[in-house]
Amino acid sequence: MAFDFKKEYKEFYLPKNKSAVVDVPPMKYIAVRGRGDPNAEDGEYKASIGLLYAVAFTFKMSKMGGHRMEGYFDFVVPPLEGFWRQEGVSGSIDYTRKDELEFISCIRLPDFVTREEFDWAVGEAARKKKTDFSKVEFLPVREGLCVQCMHLGPYDAEPATVGLMREYMEEQGLQPDFSDARLHHEIYLSDPRKCAPEKLKTVIRHPVRPVGA
């Protein structure tokens, strides 16, 4: 049976729709950076998604392609994720100014994948798709202490969930800890092309630290 990150790591991918503290371990990602309104049809965000999935499925199908990765196992491609901030500003997102957003769009890699294997997959995807994959990067991330919550509903309604997360942080003696390396993080568990806006499921995760630390 294919390894499914969502099922094996439920605490990170399937939290309840109430805030909770998590300590997120190091993870590796396929990543593409960009900026602009994620809803723009010809924008950088939508272009990044095609690049990410091309590389992710190259890994998934690599055994069939004759490239035997050390530690290979069959896996379900993890959900799309994104690290976000307003241009030049670390912190919560202003959803009324989408044209000023900067993003790191990403898909998690299996832990065993090396930089060498990553470079092979990017090259193989570029060869097959005959497309420029130079924006795709290997991104190790260590988020550490965070507060997260499952947001139910449209993306533009996320500020209400973020507000409840802030209240929970205060109750727990925590405060936001945004920086260039610690960003607003979203994990998309629903496909907006196939799901009604009110039924969308998105994990929202914010970095935190103890008050006064």
CSV table of all heavy atoms in Angstrom, one decimal, residues 70-106:
chain,number,residue,atom,x,y,z
A,70,GLU,N,17.6,5.2,-3.8
A,70,GLU,CA,17.9,4.4,-2.6
A,70,GLU,C,16.8,4.7,-1.6
A,70,GLU,O,16.4,5.8,-1.3
A,70,GLU,CB,19.3,4.9,-2.0
A,70,GLU,CG,19.7,4.1,-0.8
A,70,GLU,CD,21.0,4.5,-0.3
A,70,GLU,OE1,21.7,5.2,-0.9
A,70,GLU,OE2,21.4,4.0,0.8
A,71,GLY,N,16.3,3.6,-1.0
A,71,GLY,CA,15.2,3.8,0.0
A,71,GLY,C,13.8,4.0,-0.7
A,71,GLY,O,12.9,4.4,0.0
A,72,TYR,N,13.8,3.7,-2.0
A,72,TYR,CA,12.5,3.9,-2.7
A,72,TYR,C,11.3,3.2,-2.1
A,72,TYR,O,11.4,2.1,-1.6
A,72,TYR,CB,12.6,3.5,-4.2
A,72,TYR,CG,11.3,3.6,-4.9
A,72,TYR,CD1,10.9,4.7,-5.5
A,72,TYR,CD2,10.4,2.5,-5.0
A,72,TYR,CE1,9.7,4.8,-6.2
A,72,TYR,CE2,9.2,2.6,-5.6
A,72,TYR,CZ,8.9,3.8,-6.2
A,72,TYR,OH,7.7,3.8,-6.9
A,73,PHE,N,10.2,3.9,-2.0
A,73,PHE,CA,8.9,3.3,-1.7
A,73,PHE,C,7.8,4.0,-2.4
A,73,PHE,O,7.9,5.2,-2.7
A,73,PHE,CB,8.7,3.2,-0.2
A,73,PHE,CG,8.4,4.5,0.5
A,73,PHE,CD1,7.2,4.8,0.9
A,73,PHE,CD2,9.4,5.4,0.7
A,73,PHE,CE1,6.9,6.0,1.6
A,73,PHE,CE2,9.2,6.7,1.3
A,73,PHE,CZ,7.9,6.9,1.8
A,74,ASP,N,6.7,3.4,-2.6
A,74,ASP,CA,5.6,4.0,-3.2
A,74,ASP,C,4.9,4.9,-2.2
A,74,ASP,O,4.7,4.6,-1.1
A,74,ASP,CB,4.6,2.9,-3.7
A,74,ASP,CG,3.5,3.5,-4.6
A,74,ASP,OD1,3.7,4.6,-5.1
A,74,ASP,OD2,2.5,2.9,-4.8
A,75,PHE,N,4.5,6.1,-2.7
A,75,PHE,CA,3.8,7.1,-1.8
A,75,PHE,C,2.8,7.9,-2.6
A,75,PHE,O,2.8,8.0,-3.8
A,75,PHE,CB,4.9,8.0,-1.2
A,75,PHE,CG,5.6,8.9,-2.2
A,75,PHE,CD1,5.2,10.2,-2.5
A,75,PHE,CD2,6.7,8.4,-2.9
A,75,PHE,CE1,5.8,11.0,-3.4
A,75,PHE,CE2,7.4,9.2,-3.8
A,75,PHE,CZ,6.9,10.5,-4.1
A,76,VAL,N,1.8,8.4,-1.8
A,76,VAL,CA,0.8,9.3,-2.3
A,76,VAL,C,1.4,10.7,-2.3
A,76,VAL,O,2.0,11.1,-1.3
A,76,VAL,CB,-0.5,9.3,-1.4
A,76,VAL,CG1,-1.5,10.3,-1.9
A,76,VAL,CG2,-1.1,7.9,-1.4
A,77,VAL,N,1.3,11.4,-3.5
A,77,VAL,CA,1.9,12.7,-3.5
A,77,VAL,C,1.2,13.6,-2.4
A,77,VAL,O,0.0,13.7,-2.4
A,77,VAL,CB,1.7,13.3,-4.9
A,77,VAL,CG1,2.1,14.8,-4.9
A,77,VAL,CG2,2.5,12.6,-5.9
A,78,PRO,N,2.0,14.2,-1.6
A,78,PRO,CA,1.5,15.0,-0.5
A,78,PRO,C,0.7,16.2,-1.0
A,78,PRO,O,0.9,16.6,-2.1
A,78,PRO,CB,2.7,15.4,0.3
A,78,PRO,CG,3.7,14.4,0.0
A,78,PRO,CD,3.5,14.1,-1.5
A,79,PRO,N,-0.1,16.8,-0.1
A,79,PRO,CA,-0.9,18.0,-0.6
A,79,PRO,C,0.0,19.2,-0.9
A,79,PRO,O,1.1,19.3,-0.4
A,79,PRO,CB,-1.8,18.3,0.6
A,79,PRO,CG,-1.1,17.7,1.8
A,79,PRO,CD,-0.4,16.4,1.3
A,80,LEU,N,-0.5,20.1,-1.7
A,80,LEU,CA,0.1,21.3,-2.0
A,80,LEU,C,0.2,22.2,-0.7
A,80,LEU,O,-0.8,22.2,0.1
A,80,LEU,CB,-0.7,22.1,-3.1
A,80,LEU,CG,-0.1,23.4,-3.5
A,80,LEU,CD1,1.2,23.3,-4.3
A,80,LEU,CD2,-1.2,24.1,-4.4
A,81,GLU,N,1.3,22.9,-0.5
A,81,GLU,CA,1.4,23.8,0.7
A,81,GLU,C,1.9,25.1,0.2
A,81,GLU,O,2.4,25.3,-0.9
A,81,GLU,CB,2.4,23.2,1.7
A,81,GLU,CG,2.1,21.8,2.1
A,81,GLU,CD,2.9,21.2,3.2
A,81,GLU,OE1,3.4,22.0,4.1
A,81,GLU,OE2,3.2,20.0,3.2
A,82,GLY,N,1.9,26.1,1.1
A,82,GLY,CA,2.4,27.4,0.7
A,82,GLY,C,2.8,28.2,2.0
A,82,GLY,O,2.2,28.2,3.0
A,83,PHE,N,4.0,28.9,1.9
A,83,PHE,CA,4.5,29.8,2.9
A,83,PHE,C,4.2,31.2,2.3
A,83,PHE,O,4.6,31.5,1.1
A,83,PHE,CB,6.0,29.6,3.2
A,83,PHE,CG,6.3,28.3,3.8
A,83,PHE,CD1,6.6,27.2,3.1
A,83,PHE,CD2,6.2,28.1,5.2
A,83,PHE,CE1,6.9,26.0,3.7
A,83,PHE,CE2,6.4,26.9,5.8
A,83,PHE,CZ,6.8,25.8,5.0
A,84,TRP,N,3.6,32.1,3.0
A,84,TRP,CA,3.2,33.4,2.5
A,84,TRP,C,3.6,34.5,3.4
A,84,TRP,O,3.7,34.4,4.6
A,84,TRP,CB,1.6,33.4,2.4
A,84,TRP,CG,1.1,32.4,1.5
A,84,TRP,CD1,0.7,31.1,1.8
A,84,TRP,CD2,0.7,32.6,0.1
A,84,TRP,NE1,0.2,30.5,0.7
A,84,TRP,CE2,0.2,31.4,-0.3
A,84,TRP,CE3,0.8,33.7,-0.7
A,84,TRP,CZ2,-0.3,31.2,-1.7
A,84,TRP,CZ3,0.3,33.5,-2.0
A,84,TRP,CH2,-0.2,32.3,-2.5
A,85,ARG,N,3.7,35.7,2.7
A,85,ARG,CA,3.9,36.9,3.5
A,85,ARG,C,3.6,38.1,2.5
A,85,ARG,O,3.5,37.9,1.3
A,85,ARG,CB,5.3,37.1,4.0
A,85,ARG,CG,6.4,37.4,2.9
A,85,ARG,CD,7.7,37.6,3.6
A,85,ARG,NE,8.8,38.0,2.7
A,85,ARG,CZ,10.0,38.4,3.0
A,85,ARG,NH1,10.3,38.4,4.3
A,85,ARG,NH2,10.9,38.7,2.1
A,86,GLN,N,3.3,39.3,3.1
A,86,GLN,CA,3.1,40.5,2.3
A,86,GLN,C,4.5,40.9,1.9
A,86,GLN,O,5.5,40.6,2.5
A,86,GLN,CB,2.5,41.6,3.2
A,86,GLN,CG,1.4,42.3,2.5
A,86,GLN,CD,0.1,41.5,2.3
A,86,GLN,OE1,-0.2,40.7,3.2
A,86,GLN,NE2,-0.6,41.7,1.2
A,87,GLU,N,4.6,41.6,0.8
A,87,GLU,CA,5.9,42.0,0.2
A,87,GLU,C,6.8,42.7,1.3
A,87,GLU,O,6.4,43.7,1.8
A,87,GLU,CB,5.7,43.0,-1.0
A,87,GLU,CG,5.3,42.3,-2.3
A,87,GLU,CD,5.3,43.3,-3.4
A,87,GLU,OE1,5.7,44.5,-3.2
A,87,GLU,OE2,4.9,42.9,-4.5
A,88,GLY,N,7.9,42.0,1.6
A,88,GLY,CA,8.8,42.6,2.5
A,88,GLY,C,8.4,42.6,4.0
A,88,GLY,O,9.1,43.2,4.8
A,89,VAL,N,7.3,42.1,4.3
A,89,VAL,CA,6.8,42.1,5.7
A,89,VAL,C,6.5,40.7,6.2
A,89,VAL,O,5.7,40.0,5.5
A,89,VAL,CB,5.5,43.0,5.8
A,89,VAL,CG1,5.0,43.0,7.2
A,89,VAL,CG2,5.8,44.4,5.3
A,90,SER,N,7.0,40.3,7.3
A,90,SER,CA,6.7,39.0,7.9
A,90,SER,C,5.5,39.1,8.8
A,90,SER,O,5.4,40.1,9.5
A,90,SER,CB,7.9,38.5,8.7
A,90,SER,OG,9.1,38.3,7.9
A,91,GLY,N,4.6,38.2,8.7
A,91,GLY,CA,3.4,38.3,9.6
A,91,GLY,C,2.2,37.8,8.9
A,91,GLY,O,2.2,37.1,7.9
A,92,SER,N,1.1,38.1,9.5
A,92,SER,CA,-0.2,37.7,8.9
A,92,SER,C,-0.5,38.3,7.6
A,92,SER,O,0.1,39.4,7.2
A,92,SER,CB,-1.4,38.0,9.9
A,92,SER,OG,-1.2,37.3,11.1
A,93,ILE,N,-1.4,37.7,6.8
A,93,ILE,CA,-1.6,38.1,5.5
A,93,ILE,C,-2.8,39.1,5.4
A,93,ILE,O,-3.8,38.9,6.0
A,93,ILE,CB,-1.9,36.9,4.6
A,93,ILE,CG1,-0.8,35.9,4.6
A,93,ILE,CG2,-2.2,37.3,3.1
A,93,ILE,CD1,0.6,36.5,4.2
A,94,ASP,N,-2.7,40.2,4.6
A,94,ASP,CA,-3.8,41.1,4.3
A,94,ASP,C,-4.5,40.5,3.0
A,94,ASP,O,-3.9,40.7,1.9
A,94,ASP,CB,-3.3,42.5,4.1
A,94,ASP,CG,-4.4,43.5,3.9
A,94,ASP,OD1,-5.5,43.0,3.6
A,94,ASP,OD2,-4.2,44.7,4.0
A,95,TYR,N,-5.6,39.9,3.2
A,95,TYR,CA,-6.3,39.3,2.0
A,95,TYR,C,-6.9,40.3,1.1
A,95,TYR,O,-7.4,39.9,0.0
A,95,TYR,CB,-7.3,38.3,2.5
A,95,TYR,CG,-6.7,37.1,3.2
A,95,TYR,CD1,-6.3,37.2,4.6
A,95,TYR,CD2,-6.4,35.9,2.6
A,95,TYR,CE1,-5.8,36.1,5.3
A,95,TYR,CE2,-5.9,34.8,3.2
A,95,TYR,CZ,-5.5,35.0,4.6
A,95,TYR,OH,-4.9,33.9,5.2
A,96,THR,N,-6.9,41.5,1.4
A,96,THR,CA,-7.4,42.6,0.5
A,96,THR,C,-6.4,43.1,-0.4
A,96,THR,O,-6.7,43.9,-1.3
A,96,THR,CB,-8.1,43.7,1.3
A,96,THR,OG1,-7.0,44.4,2.0
A,96,THR,CG2,-9.1,43.2,2.2
A,97,ARG,N,-5.1,42.7,-0.2
A,97,ARG,CA,-4.0,43.2,-1.0
A,97,ARG,C,-3.2,42.0,-1.6
A,97,ARG,O,-2.0,41.8,-1.4
A,97,ARG,CB,-3.1,44.1,-0.2
A,97,ARG,CG,-3.8,45.3,0.3
A,97,ARG,CD,-3.1,45.9,1.6
A,97,ARG,NE,-1.7,46.0,1.4
A,97,ARG,CZ,-0.8,46.1,2.5
A,97,ARG,NH1,-1.3,46.0,3.7
A,97,ARG,NH2,0.5,46.3,2.3
A,98,LYS,N,-3.9,41.2,-2.4
A,98,LYS,CA,-3.3,39.9,-2.9
A,98,LYS,C,-2.2,40.2,-3.9
A,98,LYS,O,-1.3,39.4,-4.1
A,98,LYS,CB,-4.4,39.1,-3.5
A,98,LYS,CG,-5.4,38.5,-2.6
A,98,LYS,CD,-6.4,37.6,-3.3
A,98,LYS,CE,-7.4,36.9,-2.4
A,98,LYS,NZ,-8.4,37.9,-1.9
A,99,ASP,N,-2.2,41.3,-4.6
A,99,ASP,CA,-1.2,41.6,-5.5
A,99,ASP,C,0.2,41.9,-4.9
A,99,ASP,O,1.2,41.9,-5.5
A,99,ASP,CB,-1.6,42.8,-6.4
A,99,ASP,CG,-1.8,44.1,-5.6
A,99,ASP,OD1,-2.3,44.0,-4.5
A,99,ASP,OD2,-1.5,45.2,-6.1
A,100,GLU,N,0.2,42.1,-3.5
A,100,GLU,CA,1.4,42.3,-2.8
A,100,GLU,C,2.0,41.1,-2.1
A,100,GLU,O,2.9,41.1,-1.3
A,100,GLU,CB,1.2,43.4,-1.7
A,100,GLU,CG,0.8,44.7,-2.3
A,100,GLU,CD,0.5,45.8,-1.2
A,100,GLU,OE1,0.7,45.5,-0.1
A,100,GLU,OE2,0.0,46.9,-1.6
A,101,LEU,N,1.4,39.9,-2.4
A,101,LEU,CA,1.8,38.7,-1.7
A,101,LEU,C,3.0,38.1,-2.3
A,101,LEU,O,3.3,38.2,-3.5
A,101,LEU,CB,0.7,37.6,-1.8
A,101,LEU,CG,-0.6,38.0,-1.0
A,101,LEU,CD1,-1.7,36.9,-1.3
A,101,LEU,CD2,-0.4,38.1,0.5
A,102,GLU,N,3.9,37.6,-1.4
A,102,GLU,CA,5.0,36.8,-1.8
A,102,GLU,C,4.8,35.3,-1.3
A,102,GLU,O,4.3,35.2,-0.2
A,102,GLU,CB,6.3,37.3,-1.2
A,102,GLU,CG,6.6,38.7,-1.7
A,102,GLU,CD,7.9,39.3,-1.1
A,102,GLU,OE1,8.3,38.8,0.0
A,102,GLU,OE2,8.5,40.2,-1.7
A,103,PHE,N,5.2,34.3,-2.1
A,103,PHE,CA,4.9,33.0,-1.7
A,103,PHE,C,6.1,32.1,-2.0
A,103,PHE,O,7.0,32.3,-2.8
A,103,PHE,CB,3.7,32.4,-2.4
A,103,PHE,CG,3.9,32.3,-3.9
A,103,PHE,CD1,4.5,31.2,-4.5
A,103,PHE,CD2,3.4,33.3,-4.8
A,103,PHE,CE1,4.6,31.1,-5.9
A,103,PHE,CE2,3.6,33.2,-6.2
A,103,PHE,CZ,4.2,32.1,-6.7
A,104,ILE,N,6.1,31.0,-1.2
A,104,ILE,CA,6.9,29.8,-1.5
A,104,ILE,C,5.9,28.7,-1.7
A,104,ILE,O,5.4,28.1,-0.7
A,104,ILE,CB,8.0,29.5,-0.4
A,104,ILE,CG1,8.8,30.7,-0.2
A,104,ILE,CG2,8.9,28.3,-0.9
A,104,ILE,CD1,9.8,30.5,1.0
A,105,SER,N,5.6,28.3,-2.9
A,105,SER,CA,4.7,27.2,-3.1
A,105,SER,C,5.5,25.9,-3.1
A,105,SER,O,6.6,25.8,-3.6
A,105,SER,CB,4.1,27.3,-4.5
A,105,SER,OG,3.1,26.4,-4.7
A,106,CYS,N,5.0,24.8,-2.4
A,106,CYS,CA,5.8,23.7,-2.2
A,106,CYS,C,5.0,22.4,-2.0
A,106,CYS,O,3.8,22.4,-1.7
A,106,CYS,CB,6.7,23.9,-1.0
A,106,CYS,SG,5.9,24.4,0.5
